[in-house]
Amino acid sequence: MAKFKLYDEEQNKSPIKQLWLSFKDNHIALVGLWLFLILAVLALLAPIFSPYGINEQHGHALLLPPSWDDEGSVHFILGTDDLGRDMLSRLMNGATYTFGLSILAALITTIIGVFLGVLAGLTRGVRSSFLNHLLDVTLSIPSLLLAIIIVAILGPGLLNTVWAIILSLLPQYIHSVRNLVVQELNKDYITAQKLDGANKWQILTCGIFPNIYEQIVVIFTMSLSTAILDIAALGFLKLGAQPPTAEWGAILAQNLGLIYLAPWTVALPGILLFLAVLSTNLVGDGLRLALQKRRTV
């Protein structure tokens, strides 16, 4: 009887709670989640907690190494660059540009991509065929190359970079959501809903969406890691954030000539980029495994 009681309790839990219980069993994914949350808080609160201004220059502290070095100073924990700007302040504010704007771009892409993907999945005939061929063409172009083409048309700048990332991620998003919708439409419970007289809106909201929203969350995390890399890459190529903006990719480009003289100015933004992408990928993999585990229960 105790086994049946435990089984009933497990069944009565909400899908979100079941997903969280499965997710937290994966300790590596949990570490990625904590790292992701730290970067997210840093992106939100960096302007408040950064010790100096982003572009505040200290003429007496040019190319000062991090504080753990013998020549470093506790006043500049992560050192300074060739203009005497505090690296800690610039990297903290860079999280707002690189990580924060990536989340914003991924969220906007999710809203538009889910809407168009559902519409594509429910559409039949010539319009569906045309959209499929258009998606096939755009998917053959790597997202970064597509973003570079869009920025070349719109012009360099941080705002144009965000729009370029959104437009470059949309085709993959629409394609993935469309496939999920088409798969659900072919299942028996959708046929039963149609026979019961449900309209398209009822089928979508009561049938399809409750069964695909978890996969959409996984797609979001994967698109977020792509957005982080693309924003940083455009900044590094000087097509995105323009100097003196403290975006991680732009910081890398600005300090690339100092790699031998002041390696911390290049290594630190590179490490943050690595941690940002790693955390999103760990969270995405953890969600995917938790979904698989929950569906097999």
Side-chain angles (χ1 to χ4, degrees):
M1 291 293 293
K3 289 184 179 180
F4 285 111
K5 186 176 181 181
L6 288 173
Y7 179 78
D8 290 338
E9 289 178 357
E10 192 71 25
Q11 290 295 104
N12 291 330
K13 290 176 183 175
S14 66
I16 297 295
K17 190 172 183 179
Q18 290 180 21
L19 184 63
W20 166 246
L21 291 174
S22 299
F23 180 86
K24 74 175 185 177
D25 290 337
N26 188 337
H27 299 298
I28 296 177
L30 209 56
V31 171
L33 178 62
W34 278 110
L35 187 57
F36 182 90
L37 292 176
I38 290 170
L39 289 171
V41 171
L42 189 63
L44 286 173
L45 303 179
I48 301 174
F49 292 106
S50 56
Y52 301 100
I54 304 176
N55 298 311
E56 184 179 347
Q57 298 182 11
H58 305 272
H60 63 283
L62 301 179
L63 291 178
L64 201 66
S67 59
W68 56 82
D69 190 272
D70 293 336
E71 298 179 1
S73 170
V74 292
H75 298 292
F76 304 100
I77 297 175
L78 297 182
T80 60
D81 61 10
D82 57 337
L83 296 177
R85 297 174 296 188
D86 180 49
M87 286 297 296
L88 176 60
S89 300
R90 287 180 64 76
L91 291 172
M92 287 177 68
N93 284 276
T96 304
Y97 295 114
T98 306
F99 196 72
L101 289 180
S102 296
I103 294 176
L104 177 63
L107 284 172
I108 295 174
T109 306
T110 301
I111 295 170
I112 300 173
V114 168
F115 175 77
L116 294 179
V118 168
L119 192 63
L122 296 176
T123 304
R124 294 291 182 269
V126 177
R127 286 179 295 178
S128 177
S129 178
F130 173 77
L131 183 59
N132 290 338
H133 285 89
L134 183 61
L135 287 175
D136 290 339
V137 172
T138 52
L139 285 173
S140 64
I141 306 173
S143 64
L144 178 57
L145 180 57
L146 188 58
I148 291 174
I149 294 171
I150 295 170
V151 169
I153 296 171
L154 298 178
L158 203 54
L159 181 60
N160 290 341
T161 297
V162 174
W163 282 114
I165 298 302
I166 292 170
L167 294 175
S168 63
L169 291 176
L170 265 179
Q172 182 62 49
Y173 226 110
I174 295 171
H175 179 74
S176 300
V177 174
R178 178 193 172 278
N179 287 345
L180 290 173
V181 171
V182 171
Q183 289 173 10
E184 293 299 318
L185 284 173
N186 293 326
K187 293 184 177 178
D188 292 338
Y189 78 94
I190 297 294
T191 304
Q193 282 186 317
K194 290 179 180 178
L195 293 173
D196 200 36
N199 56 37
K200 285 187 177 181
W201 176 251
Q202 291 171 330
I203 291 172
L204 176 63
T205 55
C206 301
I208 296 175
F209 195 74
N211 288 288
I212 67 170
Y213 75 92
E214 295 165 341
Q215 290 93 326
I216 290 173
V217 173
V218 176
I219 298 170
F220 169 79
T221 59
M222 297 306 164
S223 64
L224 177 57
S225 63
T226 303
I228 294 170
L229 287 174
D230 287 355
I231 284 181
L234 290 172
F236 182 79
L237 295 172
K238 299 181 180 179
L239 294 172
Q242 300 298 301
T245 305
E247 190 271 323
W248 291 342
I251 293 174
L252 274 170
Q254 293 165 25
N255 297 323
L256 193 60
L258 303 172
I259 189 169
Y260 296 111
L261 184 62
W264 63 89
T265 60
V266 178
L268 292 174
I271 290 171
L272 284 175
L273 275 172
F274 169 75
L275 292 176
V277 175
L278 177 65
S279 65
T280 53
N281 285 336
L282 288 177
V283 171
D285 287 341
L287 285 172
R288 180 177 54 81
L289 293 173
L291 285 170
Q292 291 178 354
K293 182 178 178 181
R294 198 175 75 83
R295 289 184 180 278
T296 55
V297 172

